Amino acid sequence: MSADEAALKTCHERINLSVAASHQAENGPVTTVSSKKSEEATYAYLPPIESTDAHLHEFAEAMRTVGKALQQVAEGKAAAQAEAAEWKRKYESEKAAKAHTHHSVIKGCSNCVKDKLEHLASKLTLETASADETGCCGNHGICSRQILQDQCPGPNRKSDGRIVGRKVPFRLSWGSNGDKNGQHKHDFVSFEKGDITTAERSNKQIFLKWDSPPQTVLFVTKPNSNSVHALCSEMVRWLKEHNNINIFVEPRVSKELLIEDSYFNFIQTWDNDEEMKTLHTKVDLIVTLGGDGTVLWAASLFKGPVPPVVAFSLGSLGFMTPFPSEQYRECLGNVLKRPFAITLRSRLHCHVIRDAAKDEVETGEPILVLNEVTIDRGMSSYLTYLECYCDSSFVTCVQGDGLIISTTSGSTAYSLAAGGSMVHPQVPGILFTPICPHSLSFRPLILPEYVTLRVQVPFNSRGQAWASFDGKGRIQLGPGDALICSVSPWPLPTACLVDSTTDFLRSIHEGLHWNLRKSQALDGPG
């Protein structure tokens, strides 16, 4: 026998001894040794082979690697068995300590520890193919990737081999490109279990209930009307004598009432704009006596939050004035003492940017409008030429008599006369209505409430434009000037006689005689 064959035989014998020792460690008692000692023991069985054959050297190194791997598996199994034994010991001691507790508690604890033991036992196997097939993370406890149905992510195989896909979780965010989370509007949108649905909004009607009886009422009245003045003085007396309410009135009305009778010395008013800015901190309720124009004027007094408005009808139309003045005692009594329905009417937040101001706002305070912003050509004989943008997207160029940007409350005003649609006042949106456009295909739009509109007069415009806010406060816009409009965070809450929808339908039926026609005769051709 040659020297190489003898060396190979010796190598095989020692490898068999190493494998036998590893097998004995897996199935019999294991003596815990350090990794360094186990490596030295492995090399004791496989001393270096003195051979000039390179293949024998490679084969010997491979056998040493196999021996070390088997030794590490045995040590890992021993550590896992020791950890499992420790958990079992803790479980037995806990079970013995809580033997007097309820059976359901013991059962829950048992199940918990069983799951943990199974989790530890799963580490003892080297076969992970089953975990890879199901797409699981390999841990049989809580999966490292959270999912919707408390299962491991990845495809699920049915018994017939078909793969059933699983939805991954997601979140919705509000803001610029999803970067700003904002407030999650769960009252409007639900995205639980991976499905987007519109959430229920109670009975679609908002009610207001006082925590305590209102203490202060502001009266806003239509000017130059004897009937309105007489009703105002009567209502002020009744509120003070029967409900002990503090009364605020406009400076003009205060002078008129004090001239009429010194009895009205208790009424309060404001002397300057700074005091008017703090009205919302003093007034609980607003009472308007007049038409829709009076409601618009009352809203213009508040640049921020607005108290609830009870609007009595003393005008020609009445889209926002549902309460009859003849029944003011009953109506005000209900509003002061009981929950009542309200309509949140959105307002537009507007400001003008001059080209010469280098993107600085012309005025420090924004202009708030309840009905609409109108941009027209004024006295110019040229068509209005406007560039319109919605957020960062170009919308269109307006060539015609002008443009109306309206709230849904203002949909029954100028926008309706220009061909816009009537919209329920609580529908969240902005109306974009052209005035006599020089294009037959230019139809009105309704845009979502969260957008910002920018209307700019281009430098090549042949004429100027004029902007008016709720029919007043006209501002001239020159080439390069822009008007910015968005929905204000402070709506106008108006009290409902019945509810928001009933009041709206009543107003278009009675105010506009909407879809009223003579009935068809019953006697047709025989």
Side-chain angles (χ1 to χ4, degrees), residues 33 105 302 360 436:
V33 294
V105 177
F302 296 86
E360 291 183 3
C436 298

Side-chain angles (χ1 to χ4, degrees), residues 175-375:
S176 176
N177 297 325
D179 296 334
K180 300 177 182 178
N181 289 330
Q183 180 180 359
H184 287 212
K185 302 181 179 178
H186 289 287
D187 51 340
F188 294 107
V189 177
S190 173
F191 49 94
E192 301 296 331
K193 299 295 184 182
D195 298 321
I196 300 177
T197 59
T198 52
E200 299 216 7
R201 309 181 192 181
S202 65
N203 60 353
K204 301 180 179 63
Q205 176 61 64
I206 305 172
F207 284 86
L208 189 150
K209 181 180 180 181
W210 303 106
D211 290 337
S212 59
Q215 300 296 318
T216 306
V217 173
L218 167 64
F219 276 84
V220 179
T221 63
K222 177 182 178 180
N224 305 320
S225 173
N226 293 329
S227 60
V228 170
H229 176 78
L231 179 62
C232 177
S233 60
E234 182 181 344
M235 293 177 67
V236 168
R237 285 177 182 268
W238 180 79
L239 284 175
K240 185 63 177 178
E241 295 174 359
H242 293 81
N243 297 275
N244 195 26
I245 297 292
N246 300 319
I247 304 297
F248 267 84
V249 295
E250 299 174 86
R252 169 187 56 84
V253 179
S254 176
K255 293 180 181 179
E256 293 175 355
L257 291 176
L258 288 175
I259 292 174
E260 175 185 336
D261 193 341
S262 60
Y263 168 81
F264 296 104
N265 286 330
F266 61 86
I267 61 174
Q268 304 178 59
T269 186
W270 56 92
D271 298 326
N272 50 56
D273 292 341
E274 293 299 323
E275 292 183 5
M276 188 177 65
K277 292 179 182 179
T278 62
L279 271 179
H280 70 278
T281 64
K282 306 173 183 177
V283 174
D284 298 317
L285 189 69
I286 302 174
V287 173
T288 65
L289 304 178
D292 290 346
T294 308
V295 178
L296 294 176
W297 172 250
S300 68
L301 299 178
F302 296 86
K303 306 303 181 183
V306 188
V309 176
V310 180
F312 287 91
S313 178
L314 290 166
S316 55
L317 289 177
F319 295 101
M320 293 185 284
T321 56
F323 291 92
S325 58
E326 301 84 5
Q327 304 173 15
Y328 75 85
R329 289 183 176 86
E330 179 183 355
C331 295
L332 284 179
N334 292 335
V335 168
L336 295 174
K337 299 176 182 178
R338 302 175 186 174
F340 58 96
I342 63 172
T343 300
L344 292 180
R345 300 180 181 272
S346 60
R347 298 193 291 172
L348 290 178
H349 179 283
C350 312
H351 60 265
V352 174
I353 297 179
R354 300 293 185 185
D355 175 63
K358 303 301 180 183
D359 293 336
E360 291 183 3
V361 181
E362 180 195 42
T363 56
E365 295 182 357
I367 305 172
L368 295 177
V369 298
L370 179 59
N371 266 0
E372 74 277 315
V373 180
T374 303
I375 307 173

Side-chain angles (χ1 to χ4, degrees), residues 8-63:
L8 181 62
K9 181 177 180 182
T10 304
C11 178
H12 280 295
E13 290 176 353
R14 290 173 179 174
I15 289 172
N16 290 335
L17 290 173
S18 175
V19 173
S22 300
H23 183 73
Q24 181 181 2
E26 291 181 6
N27 297 280
V30 178
T31 303
T32 305
V33 294
S34 65
S35 59
K36 183 176 180 180
K37 290 182 179 181
S38 62
E39 185 177 355
E40 292 176 355
T42 303
Y43 275 94
Y45 284 107
L46 295 173
I49 301 173
E50 298 178 359
S51 174
T52 59
D53 195 336
H55 295 287
L56 289 177
H57 280 286
E58 293 177 0
F59 183 74
E61 290 297 328
M63 292 299 102

